[in-house]
Amino acid sequence: MNDSPPSTFQKLLSELLGTAFLVYVGAGSAAATGVIAAGSHAPFSMAQLGMISFAFMLVIVGTVYAIGHISGAHINPAVTVALAATGRFPWREVPGYVAAQVAGALAGALGIFVTLGADAARAAGGGVTAYAPEVGFARGTLIEAIGTFILVFVVFGVLDRRAAPGWAPMAIGSIVFAIIVIVGPATGAAINPARYAGPFLVDAAWGGAVSWNQLPAYFIGEFAGGLIGALAYTALAASRGRTKLESTTTAVGTAS
């Protein structure tokens, strides 16, 4: 058996495909809900939110199991940057990972338009997240930061060698489900810069109504929240002795 480590190409392709799967299924479930609601005129409720959350959970669990041993299954620039900032991932690989994640998100968003039809997808928002005017920039930034903080904190926890083995995909998928339930009604719960940017840019290219002034809130909140979550877990784990985390190419880390 060949036990050589994955090549850079294999890792980047894994990140591209994994992020594409995340956006196509996760963000696509939100767009599909909008398409169905437009035909049935049913009001959006916790039932629809729960199904969207469940779609995100399932695609994350499957994707992390599939590519976690190849690239680490970050599929989220906030996770990649947080790992690099805390010394668990080489900075030289960050640009490639982030580029692959954004490319994958764009591919996944294009897949939503192909599947649902451009007119229907655009009318349903194309899976784009946004906060309502009453939420505002500062609150929207804070909410995304809180959601990403929780996500990255859990990711770092499951990477700890002392954590129960084999449960990382379920733990990460489950926490994303939980985060979307509470954060979704406020900001759409992007908690992932690539997941936000992919549908946003594709919808804008197709003439959809997007709010460019909201973009900084998501990026600032997600990167800041992810970094604080990583630092918080590192400080907490260090109180029990030296923190030991798996390599991100043999363990897993992801996001919504």
Side-chain angles (χ1 to χ4, degrees):
M1 178 180 290
N2 184 4
D3 291 326
S4 61
S7 67
T8 298
F9 174 77
Q10 289 172 319
K11 289 189 286 187
L12 296 183
L13 182 58
S14 294
E15 287 296 307
L16 187 153
L17 291 174
T19 313
F21 296 166
L22 170 67
V23 171
Y24 179 71
V25 175
S29 70
T33 299
V35 171
I36 294 170
S40 65
H41 304 290
F44 190 84
S45 68
M46 183 59 78
Q48 286 92 332
L49 179 61
M51 289 304 297
I52 293 169
S53 303
F54 197 47
F56 269 102
M57 175 183 175
L58 292 181
V59 72
I60 286 170
V61 170
T63 299
V64 172
Y65 271 122
I67 67 170
H69 58 287
I70 301 174
S71 68
H74 300 186
I75 58 176
N76 184 336
V79 170
T80 300
V81 170
L83 287 165
T86 51
R88 276 102 191 186
F89 189 72
W91 277 109
R92 67 179 182 277
E93 294 192 38
V94 170
Y97 263 58
V98 172
Q101 290 155 0
V102 173
L106 289 169
L110 285 170
I112 295 172
F113 275 72
V114 170
T115 302
L116 299 179
D119 291 340
R122 185 174 60 249
V128 178
T129 57
Y131 56 80
E134 60 269 21
V135 172
F137 182 88
R139 187 173 157 215
T141 302
L142 177 60
I143 292 168
E144 281 294 308
I146 292 171
T148 313
F149 171 95
I150 296 170
L151 169 62
V152 174
F153 186 91
V154 171
V155 167
F156 270 60
V158 300
L159 288 175
D160 195 316
R161 292 183 185 274
R162 295 164 296 193
W167 286 97
M170 285 298 299
I172 297 169
S174 297
I175 199 61
V176 169
F177 181 104
I179 292 168
I180 293 174
V181 168
I182 180 63
V183 175
T187 65
I191 57 174
N192 180 333
R195 178 263 180 271
Y196 176 79
F200 184 96
L201 294 175
V202 170
D203 197 44
W206 245 279
V210 296
S211 300
W212 288 95
N213 62 316
Q214 292 192 8
L215 189 149
Y218 284 87
F219 283 4
I220 294 170
E222 290 155 8
F223 280 115
L227 181 58
I228 296 170
L231 294 174
Y233 183 82
T234 300
L236 180 65
S239 67
R240 296 172 51 207
R242 183 176 177 81
T243 306
K244 296 181 180 179
L245 298 181
E246 295 281 1
S247 164
T248 60
T249 57
T250 57
V252 290
T254 186
S256 147

